[in-house]
Amino acid sequence: MHLDVHSLRDFYYRSALGRAAQRAVRDQVLRYWPDCKGQTVVGYGFAVPLLRPYLREARRVVGLMPAPQGVMPWPQTMPNVTALCEETMWPLETGHVDRLVLMHGLETSERPSEVLEECYRVLGPGGEVLFIVPNRSGLWARSDNTPFGFGRPYSLSQLDSQLRQYDFVRQSHVSVLYQPPSPRRFWMRTGPMWENIGRAIPAVVAGGVLIVRAAKRYPPQRKGLGDRVRVPSPLEVLAPVPKKEPKAI
């Protein structure tokens, strides 16, 4: 079940906790992709808070928002780059995306398999995708105060297994959001400290969000949507053979 776009906007842009979460996740995205000059960068779900650093140098930036969620114009004071789309029918050409980010798009979908099909379709050769999902072991997946408390949380092994089924190869992964999902002043002021501690000793405390960086396997190891249609002979398609007339008796 997708959250409403206004709820997501209010959390990430109008709450202190949401701005802190946005900063922590976006900083990690920039560590993975510090430079996307001349590339096509696409976000699906509600990934637009992570795309702003790429607006100046990327060849193209697109924010796709699923119909059940709703859409909002973004960014403010600049030409709009967002579009409403069906979950499994993205208005993008096949193989033209260099960098793809999914946040609040996979775990909330009722058809995650078909969403992964679209991810594979639009991603180009050498392209990468970041899957940002709630961590099943983290506190953020257990709190209704944040968008990460909705939908299906994942463990790393669960997400990894699902990605392999759709021909994605995990390149690396990291956890973020180690601070408790609380807007209280103490937790907000000590948030950077918790992030540093969590990164240093991740076995002690679980991060609230998993970020998995993956690439598409090519050629794919699975079959497509179905077997190809078989015809008796190509000649019968290109130049149908005329039927023989019966001999006169």
Side-chain angles (χ1 to χ4, degrees):
M1 176 181 177
H2 289 279
L3 289 173
D4 183 77
V5 68
H6 296 100
S7 299
L8 293 165
R9 177 201 61 193
D10 292 347
F11 176 75
Y12 282 107
Y13 292 105
R14 299 180 181 178
S15 73
L17 183 61
R19 289 192 294 270
Q22 176 186 158
R23 182 168 56 251
V25 177
R26 187 172 60 197
D27 287 350
Q28 181 56 50
V29 172
L30 287 172
R31 290 187 186 99
Y32 279 139
W33 301 335
D35 181 20
C36 289
K37 186 175 181 179
Q39 297 183 339
T40 296
V41 182
V42 175
Y44 173 77
F46 195 79
V48 289
L50 313 177
L51 303 183
R52 182 172 288 277
Y54 304 114
L55 286 171
R56 289 182 178 273
E57 296 186 348
R59 182 174 68 89
R60 186 183 182 192
V61 175
V62 180
L64 298 179
M65 299 189 181
Q69 169 190 290
V71 68
M72 71 175 196
W74 184 89
Q76 293 185 356
T77 72
M78 295 178 68
N80 179 59
V81 301
T82 60
L84 190 70
C85 70
E86 293 294 335
E87 285 188 288
T88 59
M89 295 179 63
W90 297 0
L92 298 173
E93 294 178 303
T94 298
H96 278 62
V97 175
D98 301 296
R99 297 291 184 264
L100 175 63
V101 186
L102 272 76
M103 185 167 76
H104 305 307
L106 183 63
E107 76 274 12
T108 54
S109 175
E110 295 181 358
R111 295 184 289 179
S113 298
E114 296 178 56
V115 171
L116 291 174
E117 290 273 9
E118 278 296 89
C119 292
Y120 191 93
R121 181 185 68 81
V122 303
L123 205 62
E128 292 183 348
V129 53
L130 293 180
F131 296 98
I132 302 171
V133 297
N135 186 354
R136 180 176 292 277
S137 302
L139 294 176
W140 289 66
R142 308 174 194 177
S143 173
D144 293 339
N145 295 327
T146 83
F148 292 106
F150 295 85
R152 175 192 176 186
Y154 286 87
S155 66
L156 179 60
S157 60
Q158 289 172 336
L159 182 57
D160 206 21
S161 176
Q162 189 168 10
L163 295 183
R164 283 199 304 269
Q165 292 178 20
Y166 290 89
D167 286 311
F168 286 100
V169 180
R170 173 162 57 92
Q171 305 293 316
S172 59
H173 74 278
V174 70
S175 295
V176 296
L177 296 185
Y178 288 93
Q179 73 178 77
S182 170
R184 292 186 177 182
R185 182 174 299 180
F186 172 78
W187 298 117
M188 296 300 299
R189 292 181 62 182
T190 59
M193 179 192 72
W194 290 107
E195 290 298 316
N196 292 332
I197 292 175
R199 290 175 185 273
I201 45 176
V204 176
V205 59
V209 170
L210 282 174
I211 303 179
V212 171
R213 180 170 64 98
K216 62 190 281 186
R217 180 188 290 114
Y218 189 84
Q221 294 183 352
R222 60 190 167 87
K223 293 184 178 181
L225 297 178
D227 294 332
R228 294 181 179 179
V229 178
R230 297 179 179 178
V231 295
S233 169
L235 295 177
E236 295 185 15
V237 176
L238 300 177
V241 179
K243 294 182 180 180
K244 296 181 179 180
E245 294 293 335
K247 295 180 178 181
I249 298 176

